[in-house]
Structures are given as structure tokens and as C-alpha cells.
Amino acid sequence: MKTIEITTSVKVYENLPELPVDFRNLMAAAKAAQQLAYAPYSDFRVGAAVALEDGRVLTGANQENAAYPMCMCAERVALGNANMEAPHVTITAMAVSVYNPRKTIAEPAAPCGACRQVICEQESRQNQPIPLILQGAEGPVYVIESGRDLLPIGFDKSFL
Ligand code: THU
């Protein structure tokens, strides 16, 4: 028997002004995208923004449905948007911000399990990690170098 140790590094910036300017701008786009959330059931608004290597920024927001399992998370909407609007263009970073009108979220919220899987697929597709920049409505910002860091021992095309 042996034990595998898995470690994840998270850079913690105390607030937005501490972030490098390109990440700060990407987070601003993620927050703006919350306006386009369709969240009549949860009222929870999530905005995501992806930076492309050609300089473009594309966004997504959560899109809910009366059939709850059909709800689409902001992260997957943003990735789908990028793959349609900018096919084969590498995504260099993704910012995600959440807003709950019932309470102030002052901690970063991390992508759900399904979104982690889809982010990892994107990384494998473009053969490059996607740094994730995460923030609540305010407060500290986490920067995680790759979606893979949030989904160790994941399932990928190597099994197929
Ligand atoms: N949601 C996201 O958009 N991203 C996440 O990473 C977590 C959850 C959305 C889905 C649903 O519309 C609402 O937040 C509440 O779960």
C-alpha cells in the first residue's frame, strides 16, 4: 500500500485592487454578466467571464429552468459561448463571481462538480490549463492555476 498526497495551491488576494489588472478586468466582466442571469427560482446570480488569447472576453450567466436539473451554470454557459463564438481560440483564464440578494457572500464560491468536469475537458481540448479567478460579491479573491486542481483523479479522454 502507498498513499498518494494531492495538494492544491490557492493564491488568496485580499481584495480586487490587489489582483493583477488583467484578472481584475476579467472579474469586472464576470460581475457585469450577472445582470444576464436568468435565476427566478434561486435568485442566485452567477457571472463568468473567459479571457481569450486573442484579447477577447466572452461571458456567461446561469440560466435556470422550471425543471430544476436543466439549470445551466454560468461557467458552462461561458465555455459554450466561447466555443461557439471563438472556436479553437485558447481560453487563458476564467473569472467567476456570485451574488445572493438574501445575504452578502464575502467568500469565493467555487464551480460545482459538473462545471469542474467541463472546465477540465476544455483544458484537455486546448492542451493548456485555465487559471480560475473566484470571488463572492465582495471580499477575497482566489486564484487557482487550473481546473484540474479542483478535480484531482478526474475522468478524461485517456480512459476512452
Ligand atoms: N450556479 C452556477 O451558475 N455556478 C456554480 O458554480 C454553482 C451554481 C448556479 C446554478 C443555479 O442557477 C444557481 O447557481 C443556484 O444553484
Side-chain angles (χ1 to χ4, degrees):
M1 196 282 274
K2 66 174 182 178
T3 302
I4 304 169
E5 300 285 346
I6 299 171
T7 56
T8 298
S9 295
V10 180
K11 290 196 177 77
V12 182
Y13 293 86
E14 259 182 50
N15 47 44
L16 273 182
E18 234 190 52
L19 265 186
V21 67
D22 49 339
F23 284 180
R24 212 184 312 150
N25 291 340
L26 197 60
M27 183 56 76
K31 287 180 187 294
Q34 288 169 354
Q35 301 298 323
L36 295 176
Y38 173 65
Y41 305 105
S42 73
D43 266 347
F44 191 73
R45 294 175 169 266
V46 186
V50 293
L52 306 181
E53 68 176 352
D54 63 11
R56 274 181 288 172
V57 168
L58 293 171
T59 58
N62 53 325
Q63 305 295 318
E64 298 190 342
N65 194 289
Y68 292 173
M70 303 294 106
C71 292
M72 284 288 292
C73 292
E75 294 90 327
R76 278 176 286 153
V77 172
L79 290 175
N81 190 16
N83 284 314
M84 294 304 291
E85 290 298 319
H88 313 301
V89 182
T90 298
I91 294 171
T92 56
M94 172 187 271
V96 183
S97 176
V98 300
Y99 175 77
N100 184 340
R102 293 180 296 277
K103 60 178 183 181
T104 302
I105 301 181
E107 291 299 325
C112 77
C115 287
R116 292 175 197 209
Q117 182 72 25
V118 172
I119 293 165
C120 287
E121 184 75 25
Q122 187 72 35
E123 291 182 344
S124 129
R125 191 168 167 173
Q126 63 180 38
N127 201 25
Q128 189 173 303
I130 302 174
L132 303 174
I133 306 141
L134 311 173
Q135 192 186 33
E138 58 181 47
V141 184
Y142 288 173
V143 177
I144 297 162
E145 284 314 309
S146 166
R148 178 56 84 187
D149 291 336
L150 292 180
L151 192 63
I153 320 183
F155 184 80
D156 64 23
K157 64 183 178 188
S158 69
F159 295 100
L160 300 174

